[in-house]
Amino acid sequence: MRRLVIATTKPGKVIEIRSALGEMAGWSLEALPPDTRSIEETGSTFLENAMLKAEHYSQLAGSLTLADDSGLWVRALGGRPGVHSSRYAENPGARIQRVLGEMKSVPDGRRDAVFYCALAVAKRGKIIWTVQRDVVGIIAHAPSGSEGFGYDPVFLLPDLNRTMADLNTEDKNRLSARGKALAELRKFLLSD
């Protein structure tokens, strides 16, 4: 059985990754131990941060390690929160409220946003594979939906008129930036 360590201690992210990858014969997916100390994300891009984490945690885990970095880019906010998405406020609810507060006076035609997800796989401190995917949407005026996590309740998919948090797991895995990136990861792992 081959082992892939998921470089996160966030339960929501682990569940989403396992769900998106599905059953993979010959592979065991494991999370980092909850007491694992995090590494400072000093990259200026999502891909740089994913690579930093993959290199670092693969040395600690002694195994093939998957790391990701993802976040929200909002045009009206000059690209914020960007690589600071998970640190934009002290908790998910506060992050959403901060974005909504900053977008309060932004009209409908100027609320466009992109959600990015970068993945990196490393082995013994060396990057062996990367990918970045995105999904385009708009910032809703108020949160909607109870699925997902992070900015999902305010990231509206205009073609569906639904937020990411309104989607069921199957649809989210198909449409989200992380779902698209994980589909590429699945191909990579199963081709090896």
Side-chain angles (χ1 to χ4, degrees), residues 30-179:
E30 302 172 20
L32 288 173
D35 61 344
T36 303
R37 289 186 48 197
S38 61
I39 183 175
E40 187 176 355
E41 297 178 22
T42 58
S44 61
T45 67
F46 298 112
L47 187 56
E48 286 175 8
N49 282 332
M51 292 170 64
L52 285 169
K53 292 187 281 188
E55 289 167 344
H56 174 76
Y57 293 120
S58 70
Q59 291 175 336
L60 294 178
S63 184
L64 200 63
T65 302
L66 166 67
D68 86 311
D69 195 39
S70 58
L72 182 64
W73 181 95
V74 182
R75 182 183 312 278
L77 301 180
R80 290 189 324 270
V83 294
H84 305 289
S85 291
S86 66
R87 300 176 299 282
Y88 208 51
E90 63 275 1
N91 60 57
R95 288 189 281 276
I96 287 171
Q97 290 309 311
R98 180 174 177 188
V99 168
L100 289 177
E102 292 175 347
M103 296 289 290
K104 189 173 185 173
S105 64
V106 177
D108 283 344
R110 299 193 55 236
R111 299 179 73 86
D112 53 309
V114 180
F115 203 91
Y116 292 97
C117 179
L119 302 180
V121 175
K123 186 175 185 178
R124 292 190 286 278
K126 303 286 184 206
I127 297 296
I128 62 168
W129 182 85
T130 64
V131 69
Q132 181 170 292
R133 293 293 180 262
D134 62 62
V135 61
V136 176
I138 60 175
I139 300 301
H141 289 276
S144 175
S146 60
E147 301 298 318
F149 61 98
Y151 294 96
D152 290 349
V154 294
F155 192 84
L156 184 71
L157 300 170
D159 291 345
L160 301 176
N161 197 31
R162 295 167 70 196
T163 68
M164 281 289 185
D166 289 324
L167 300 179
N168 63 37
T169 302
E170 183 180 318
D171 287 340
K172 185 174 179 191
N173 287 343
R174 184 173 47 83
L175 298 170
S176 73
R178 182 171 287 118

